[in-house]
Amino acid sequence: MSPSNYEIIPYREDYDEELLKFESSIVQGTNIQLQMVKTHFLSRALLFEEHYAGMAIDVHGDILGTAIAARTTIQINGTTMPVGFGLDAKVATSARNRGVGKHMAKEMYRRFFSLHGLTKNFITAKLSNAPVIRMTAGILSRICLYDFVYLTIPTKARINGIPHMKAGKELFGVRLFDAEKIPDRYYTAYRSGLGCFHMHHVYTLKIRKIQGIIKWGMGILKRLYPSKYKDVPNEGGILSFSILYNQSASNIAHLNLVLEDLEQSGITHLLVCCRKGDMVYRSIRHLAINRYRYYLVTDFPLRSSDAVQLDVRCL
């Protein structure tokens, strides 16, 4: 598909209903297919003061793809700096492998990253999402991959003491930068220093389909370990969640207070992003019902040994 058959245009409000339908048609994952559910196409973008949303449309006005760019903050080895963040990049099944994604990515650079002088930019991508990583590599001369892990923890779970272990350097952390510019309904800050970003106010995840063997396995786990797996939604169910931030070896022992608060609020799951080997990961990995490997995919040098503090809005 050549660019002459479609064009990249900025987001238009009159397309919002069609954009939501388009997003609902795109699923994530293979064994468990997830569908993002939002009330407004820009619900994630509006968390950032500066952003650009673009869409690819064909000659008939049909949507072929979407992508959003935002300005955010990152801290690397103690130095805080502005960076560009790419999110919600999606391409219609019928338009994949035809250059639409690469074209949209180039437009994000031209219309936002370069325009705002953002010389360091990144996306987050699941290890299994090879097409997005390949697409990014295809438009840049060099990319770097920095790994971390998503842990999904039921809010019914509780820590029964922190095991004694040697506390090493915590290389990866999550913060909420510029909290004063965000409505306080989106986050809760606790006395312990832990924080919780309520992503369910931005979007939820609907379980579109579960493959047979996985569905069978989940049924077994729910019967054997009801306290841990009871609240995992079935097909058609909605997963609402919050994301932990400011976690560290010094305060992770206070996680139970966060879990209790979320459970009382009707939130069933907490996402914790950390790094294998860090004490946070070692302390709570046994609570997780699943673990997903993710990467920061950057267009600037980033070493595995670098200490990174990522904005929670980028997760």
Side-chain angles (χ1 to χ4, degrees):
M1 181 176 289
S2 67
S4 62
N5 295 327
Y6 65 90
E7 62 177 332
I8 311 294
I9 64 171
Y11 162 82
R12 282 176 22 194
E13 189 173 358
D14 59 311
Y15 267 89
D16 200 65
E17 184 176 348
E18 290 302 314
L19 284 164
L20 290 176
K21 289 180 181 178
F22 169 76
E23 283 198 317
S24 68
S25 70
I26 306 295
V27 296
Q28 309 170 34
T30 304
N31 293 326
I32 300 178
Q33 296 182 358
L34 300 175
Q35 168 191 331
M36 182 181 287
V37 179
K38 297 191 293 188
T39 58
H40 193 285
F41 176 69
L42 294 181
S43 60
R44 287 193 74 189
L46 293 173
L47 294 173
F48 303 91
E49 273 198 298
E50 297 177 274
H51 63 269
Y52 164 79
M55 52 188 191
I57 59 172
D58 65 15
V59 293
H60 306 292
D62 295 327
I63 299 167
L64 300 180
T66 61
I68 296 173
R71 181 189 182 98
T72 185
T73 303
I74 199 170
Q75 188 180 92
I76 302 175
N77 297 325
T79 300
T80 303
M81 62 192 77
V83 289
F85 171 52
L87 64 149
D88 288 359
K90 298 178 174 68
V91 177
T93 304
S94 61
R96 290 176 185 172
N97 301 314
R98 300 181 183 180
V100 176
K102 288 182 181 180
H103 190 189
M104 285 195 301
K106 289 178 180 178
E107 285 297 285
M108 281 202 304
Y109 271 87
R110 186 177 72 86
R111 299 191 187 200
F112 189 81
F113 295 150
S114 298
L115 193 64
H116 287 77
L118 296 170
T119 58
K120 294 181 172 65
N121 309 283
F122 75 95
I123 63 171
T124 60
K126 191 183 294 187
L127 176 64
S128 60
N129 198 354
V132 170
I133 296 176
R134 285 198 302 268
M135 179 193 75
T136 307
I139 65 169
L140 299 171
S141 58
R142 179 186 178 188
I143 63 170
C144 291
L145 302 178
Y146 184 95
D147 64 290
F148 64 100
V149 181
Y150 268 87
L151 301 178
T152 305
I153 297 176
T155 56
K156 290 183 180 296
R158 298 293 182 269
I159 293 179
N160 295 318
I162 298 296
H164 293 288
M165 57 184 72
K166 185 177 180 180
K169 184 179 180 182
E170 301 284 314
L171 288 178
F172 181 78
V174 181
R175 292 178 56 183
L176 176 57
F177 293 98
D178 303 321
E180 69 281 357
K181 299 177 182 179
I182 303 171
D184 56 14
R185 74 185 185 97
Y186 285 108
Y187 65 95
T188 301
Y190 298 89
R191 286 187 177 182
S192 63
L194 290 171
C196 202
F197 193 83
H198 305 306
M199 195 60 82
H200 57 274
H201 287 315
V202 183
Y203 70 92
T204 56
L205 294 172
K206 181 177 180 179
I207 297 182
R208 173 76 70 84
K209 185 178 181 180
I210 303 176
Q211 297 298 333
I213 188 65
I214 302 298
K215 188 186 300 184
W216 177 81
M218 289 302 299
I220 296 295
L221 289 171
K222 287 185 178 185
R223 289 195 292 272
L224 293 177
Y225 308 101
S227 62
K228 191 171 185 178
Y229 293 95
K230 179 182 177 182
D231 291 328
V232 177
N234 296 314
E235 281 187 0
I238 298 293
L239 180 66
S240 59
F241 60 92
S242 294
I243 304 177
L244 193 70
Y245 65 89
N246 280 356
Q247 64 267 30
S248 67
S250 62
N251 63 22
I252 195 63
H254 299 279
L255 182 63
N256 284 351
L257 294 175
V258 177
L259 294 170
E260 290 168 5
D261 186 41
L262 292 174
E263 184 183 10
Q264 292 173 6
S265 300
I267 304 305
T268 58
H269 293 87
L270 175 69
L271 297 186
V272 182
C273 291
C274 47
R275 244 189 151 192
K276 282 190 174 182
D278 283 357
M279 185 174 174
V280 168
Y281 175 83
R282 291 180 288 160
S283 299
I284 63 175
R285 61 184 175 183
H286 63 285
L287 301 178
I289 59 173
N290 57 36
R291 310 168 194 177
Y292 291 115
R293 294 181 63 187
Y294 261 75
Y295 285 103
L296 299 184
V297 185
T298 71
D299 64 0
F300 58 93
L302 190 62
R303 299 168 300 179
S304 181
S305 58
D306 287 332
V308 174
Q309 292 285 326
L310 186 67
D311 195 305
V312 67
R313 292 169 292 177
C314 299
L315 295 170

